[in-house]
């Protein structure tokens, strides 16, 4: 459903049923972190009041991971997103919605869409998520989308289908995930203060973490190195700068380090 | 594909395509623990040399979780299995296998199965897993299955499709899971020794855990209570018995306790 695809051969409203799998799709929960805020990338299709996750159909020639990446890239413009599966969603009427109708699709597309159109069938959706530095991402809505925007996870708009539940589940997975995998490499500047990384963990976990205890445990893992430099700030404090030890960081990713914070 | 279903209305080889979702199925990884051994429940279909996970198709009227439970119950005879999703698998040719052919299905069923039969299409499979006390489970193969057996995870037979990868992934999830959720309530007798629960964790994690450190951390969580009784054993040692504090255990499940062992 991205622009490139529409300009090529597949128009999902004409021959989508031949090129895409039936009864199974993907949805992406793209989290963005920037200056102590956690946001999620949502879209609003033409003619609909509710927002949705950037998801889509799986081509018969691609893996589910390839489908998720193709769709996410088309929306964000970023090519190196690391998407991970978190859960699949499947209940018989999950994509029924008062706004998602043959009339709407007909109006938006100019084609006559029948009531038993394949898109209205029972779709199981495989959920993928990722976490990125959101100032790097330029939301890029596709042909059928009216808006594409970052929303704070604490203030989400009205959403279509079970997409709100998907975001909640992805957030739960992200919060378990950071106990087992270090995060921060792509979310923090190359040199950062202990306050910066502390704020990152607090934002994602959405709770206060004892600063001394957090620092002590983080330093014990060996994934960050104290530099000789100090950050110049207003006032009297000049906090030391740190950077990630790339080897130890990669190793911690592999070993599933457990950081109890 | 369980017996009950076959005796009712749906025969997947005749009208399955009307009742089941296309392009998406479920597979169950059922782990069993008993006396320091971790096993997995596998089946071998009629006419095939390779083994497979107890999986099947999703009815248009049920959720993916209901499908997984229905199929697992039909295989094990257990009704209170707590199945959890761990990952979905989707690559275009994942269910192609030299043994899974129209000829085989025709031979086994007595129906003429065409080469473009719906079952040979690209199927994304949603993987579920559970851990149970395997001596409680009586494997119960269905109509098309020749054998249904427990296999040690360290000595698996040749398996069909990507089912070996599914087991490895489920095992990975189980091992991360036990850092965040207590296990043991259904796997240990009501009263158990510290040696019993230590062996359970060692078996599942497949590594040695320092006994004193493990015990200290486990007791800190408050989920087990020391009883006044001692276990009668041969020799001089009479280890104390423990039991789970049900409330604290349930609470730890909710709170995602982190037990670093």
């Amino acid at each position: 459903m991205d622009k490139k695809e529409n300009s090529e051969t597949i128009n999902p409203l004409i021959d989508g049923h031949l090129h895409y799998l039936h009864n199974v799709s993907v949805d992406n929960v793209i989290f963005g972190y920037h200056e102590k805020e956690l946001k999620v990338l949502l879209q609003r299709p033409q003619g609909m009041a509710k927002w949705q996750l950037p998801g889509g159909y799986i081509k018969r020639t691609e893996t589910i991971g390839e489908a998720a990446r193709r769709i996410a890239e088309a929306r964000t413009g970023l090519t190196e997103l690391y998407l991970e599966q978190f859960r699949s969603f499947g209940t018989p009427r999950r994509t029924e919605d008062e706004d998602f109708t043959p009339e709407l699709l007909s109006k938006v597309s100019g084609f006559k869409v029948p009531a038993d159109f394949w898109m209205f069938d029972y779709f199981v959706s495989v959920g993928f998520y990722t976490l990125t530095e959101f100032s790097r991402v330029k939301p890029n809505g596709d042909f059928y989308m009216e808006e594409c925007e970052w929303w704070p996870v604490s203030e989400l708009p009205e959403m279509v289908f079970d997409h709100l539940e998907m975001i909640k589940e992805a957030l739960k997975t992200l919060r378990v995930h950071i106990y087992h995998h270090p995060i921060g490499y792509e979310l923090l500047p190359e040199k950062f203060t202990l306050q910066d990384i502390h704020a990152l963990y607090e934002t994602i976990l959405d709770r206060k973490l004892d600063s001394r205890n957090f620092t002590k445990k983080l330093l014990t893992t060996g994934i960050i190195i104290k530099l000789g430099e100090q950050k110049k700030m207003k006032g009297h404090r000049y906090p030391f700068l740190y950077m990630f030890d790339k080897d130890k960081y990669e190793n911690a990713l592999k070993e599933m380090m457990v950081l109890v914070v």
Side-chain angles (χ1 to χ4, degrees), chain A residues 85-87 129 168-178:
Chain A
Q85 261 192 59
F86 64 100
R87 220 188 100 181
Y129 82 105
K168 284 185 185 161
E169 283 296 319
L171 207 45
K172 236 192 255 175
T173 306
L174 174 63
R175 286 173 181 160
V176 170
H177 188 96
I178 69 172

Side-chain angles (χ1 to χ4, degrees), chain A residues 68-241:
Chain A
R69 210 155 31 244
R70 171 178 55 79
I71 294 160
E73 287 178 12
R75 304 285 189 264
T76 64
L78 272 191
T79 51
E80 75 275 41
L81 282 180
Y82 183 64
L83 287 155
E84 266 192 279
Q85 261 192 59
F86 64 100
R87 220 188 100 181
S88 292
F89 297 80
T91 49
R93 302 160 68 92
R94 58 168 288 278
T95 60
E96 286 184 16
D97 190 278
E98 53 185 11
D99 280 349
F100 185 55
T101 61
E103 292 70 37
L104 175 84
L105 287 192
S106 301
K107 195 176 150 195
V108 170
S109 69
F111 303 108
K112 173 80 190 136
V113 171
D116 64 349
F117 196 53
W118 67 285
M119 285 187 189
F120 300 118
D121 204 353
Y122 172 4
F123 269 81
V124 172
S125 193
V126 184
F128 286 81
Y129 82 105
T130 194
L131 176 59
T132 185
E133 217 280 324
F134 81 69
S135 61
R136 289 166 62 209
V137 179
K138 223 175 83 192
N140 167 24
D142 75 11
F143 192 68
Y144 294 109
M145 295 298 155
E146 194 151 317
E147 294 184 88
C148 187
E149 263 175 36
W150 289 105
W151 286 82
V153 294
S154 53
E155 280 174 66
L156 296 170
E158 207 187 343
M159 298 198 62
V160 85
F161 311 154
D162 51 1
H163 287 194
L164 189 61
E165 190 198 343
M166 287 181 174
I167 295 173
K168 284 185 185 161
E169 283 296 319
L171 207 45
K172 236 192 255 175
T173 306
L174 174 63
R175 286 173 181 160
V176 170
H177 188 96
I178 69 172
Y179 286 110
H180 294 282
H181 300 273
I183 53 161
Y185 201 81
E186 285 167 359
L187 304 177
L188 293 170
E190 197 193 343
K191 296 173 185 180
F192 51 86
T193 66
L194 290 174
Q195 286 89 328
D196 293 334
I197 194 165
H198 181 245
L200 170 66
Y201 272 82
E202 282 199 334
T203 302
I204 290 171
L205 291 172
D206 193 27
R207 61 184 177 92
K208 289 280 163 215
L209 301 171
D210 179 76
S211 177
R212 280 177 64 151
N213 196 28
F214 173 79
T215 302
K216 198 179 116 200
K217 287 188 171 164
L218 187 64
L219 289 171
T220 307
T221 66
I223 60 169
I224 65 169
I225 310 163
K226 189 173 181 174
L227 302 173
E229 300 167 58
Q230 283 163 283
K231 187 170 175 180
K232 294 197 182 77
M233 292 176 83
K234 282 180 198 157
H236 294 297
R237 297 175 58 245
Y238 295 87
F240 275 98
L241 287 166

